[in-house]
Amino acid sequence: MSIRVTHTHGEDIAVTAAGGTEILRYVYRPDPDPFESRKPYAHPVRTLSGRTVTGYRPNDHRWHKGLQMTSSHLSGQNFWGGNCYVHGQGYLPLPERVGSMRHDGFPDFTVEDDRLAFTENLTWVENGGEEWAREVRGLTVHSVDEEAGSWALDWSIRLTNLRSEPLSFGSPTTAGREMAGYTGLQWRGPRDFTGGTVFAPDTDADVGKLMGTQGPWLAFTTEHDDVDGHSTLVFAHAPENLDESSAIHESHWFVRAEPFPTVAFSWAFFEEFALPPGESFAYRYRLVVADGAWDRDRVGTHMESLPW
């Protein structure tokens, strides 16, 4: 199935499927409020039938913006946005700790009939203006399949420490709050995903018991408001992310269906890890966006049909 790509330079990149639905908008022009951690994000993200599956600036967390790369606790800085968790004091508005990610350009940008792939250079800047890390990000839209009612987005990161000292990656859980290990690539769903169904391969555990677990993929389904229909999202790790011999640190799921819907590929859920000066780490992720309420068997079969 063919796609159309529209690049509004300095603003965003939009992908439209053959049926006329804009399925992805990647915004790299920073939002205005520094407290929300200015950085690129993907929103809206839609199914092929036009159902929106991302939320933007919800009233409970204005810094939640669709699908975005984050780091909630990074050497005392907050690249997630919003309040900072401080052990013994809870969440505090500390704007002097909120960093940002600067878009530096697209060194590679390839559009084919049914595929978009681009590389983005970014710099992670701490609140005082010091450049802490250089990121090479990759996004690929592919496998747009009208018959299956689905499409896929691959998102990769390679991050290099620019400092003369280690970068320490953590989360609210590593700072003392139980089961709040959010950090890394984060999705925030719209309101109608609240209370949705979450499942993983080889387990019937409910969403509460999936918090902090590990696995190759996690699926989230919901029934929409306003329209009669369901959507399914599948969040998946590339195999090397879960390979202890190659991954810099173990990944765990941060997932909630209530009080609001969110999933994060947490790279520092239970333990901090340090990135030495000049060193890099890399992860690859996949998001499958589908119409309908897919079950475990259908998700498993579909994921096996999409090689990395």
Side-chain angles (χ1 to χ4, degrees):
M1 185 176 183
S2 62
I3 60 172
R4 184 177 74 250
V5 177
T6 305
H7 185 184
T8 304
H9 290 269
E11 299 280 338
D12 55 48
I13 299 163
V15 180
T16 303
T21 298
E22 182 186 294
I23 57 175
L24 171 73
R25 184 172 292 265
Y26 182 76
V27 182
Y28 62 93
R29 172 190 47 78
D31 282 355
D33 189 348
F35 186 65
E36 297 174 8
S37 186
R38 305 175 76 194
K39 55 187 177 291
Y41 58 87
H43 174 81
V45 177
R46 297 187 179 95
T47 69
L48 291 179
S49 69
R51 292 160 189 165
T52 301
V53 296
T54 50
Y56 173 75
R57 297 193 75 246
N59 59 29
D60 50 81
H61 294 79
R62 294 297 187 191
W63 47 94
H64 287 185
K65 296 175 182 179
L67 186 68
Q68 58 181 349
M69 186 60 69
T70 74
S71 189
S72 57
H73 289 236
L74 178 54
S75 295
Q77 289 277 294
N78 170 6
F79 289 83
W80 173 279
N83 296 329
C84 301
Y85 179 78
V86 179
H87 187 54
Q89 301 180 62
Y91 288 95
L92 303 177
L94 301 173
E96 69 277 7
R97 294 193 185 182
V98 180
S100 62
M101 299 178 193
R102 185 185 70 222
H103 166 79
D104 293 331
F106 295 111
D108 297 297
F109 201 101
T110 303
V111 179
E112 300 173 356
D113 180 60
D114 58 353
R115 184 181 183 92
L116 163 68
F118 64 81
T119 302
E120 181 182 19
N121 290 336
L122 302 103
T123 302
W124 294 32
V125 184
E126 60 88 33
N127 189 268
E130 183 181 347
E131 297 182 355
W132 275 15
R134 181 161 294 122
E135 179 188 347
V136 178
R137 178 177 300 181
L139 266 71
T140 303
V141 173
H142 64 98
S143 303
V144 183
D145 186 336
E146 186 175 19
E147 183 177 352
S150 66
W151 62 278
L153 172 67
D154 289 358
W155 186 310
S156 67
I157 176 176
R158 182 175 182 83
L159 194 73
T160 302
N161 182 2
L162 299 179
R163 304 181 76 195
S164 60
E165 58 188 275
L167 282 173
S168 179
F169 292 81
S171 67
T173 293
T174 68
R177 186 186 176 206
E178 291 187 2
M179 302 308 285
Y182 54 79
T183 193
L185 184 62
Q186 182 239 356
W187 164 79
R188 171 62 194 253
R191 295 288 174 186
D192 47 4
F193 272 79
T194 304
T197 300
V198 182
F199 58 90
D202 305 320
T203 178
D204 291 323
D206 60 25
V207 62
K209 293 181 180 179
L210 291 172
M211 176 72 86
T213 63
Q214 297 175 293
W217 57 259
L218 193 75
F220 203 128
T221 69
T222 198
E223 183 174 12
H224 287 280
D225 296 330
D226 298 329
V227 296
D228 297 329
H230 294 74
S231 292
T232 299
L233 296 180
V234 187
F235 305 86
H237 282 282
E240 69 270 17
N241 292 5
L242 302 177
D243 183 349
E244 294 183 7
S245 65
S246 62
I248 186 172
H249 197 260
E250 289 186 341
S251 294
H252 299 78
W253 296 115
F254 178 85
V255 53
R256 285 178 176 161
E258 295 181 0
F260 54 83
T262 186
V263 173
F265 296 83
S266 177
W267 54 36
F269 197 114
F270 297 108
E271 297 177 343
E272 291 187 351
F273 71 90
L275 183 65
E279 295 294 312
S280 305
F281 71 75
Y283 289 99
R284 292 190 299 152
Y285 307 104
R286 176 167 291 165
L287 174 66
V288 172
V289 181
D291 283 301
W294 289 17
D295 60 19
R296 184 179 289 106
D297 289 342
R298 185 171 182 183
V299 170
T301 299
H302 189 78
M303 300 310 287
E304 290 177 359
S305 73
L306 297 179
W308 287 93

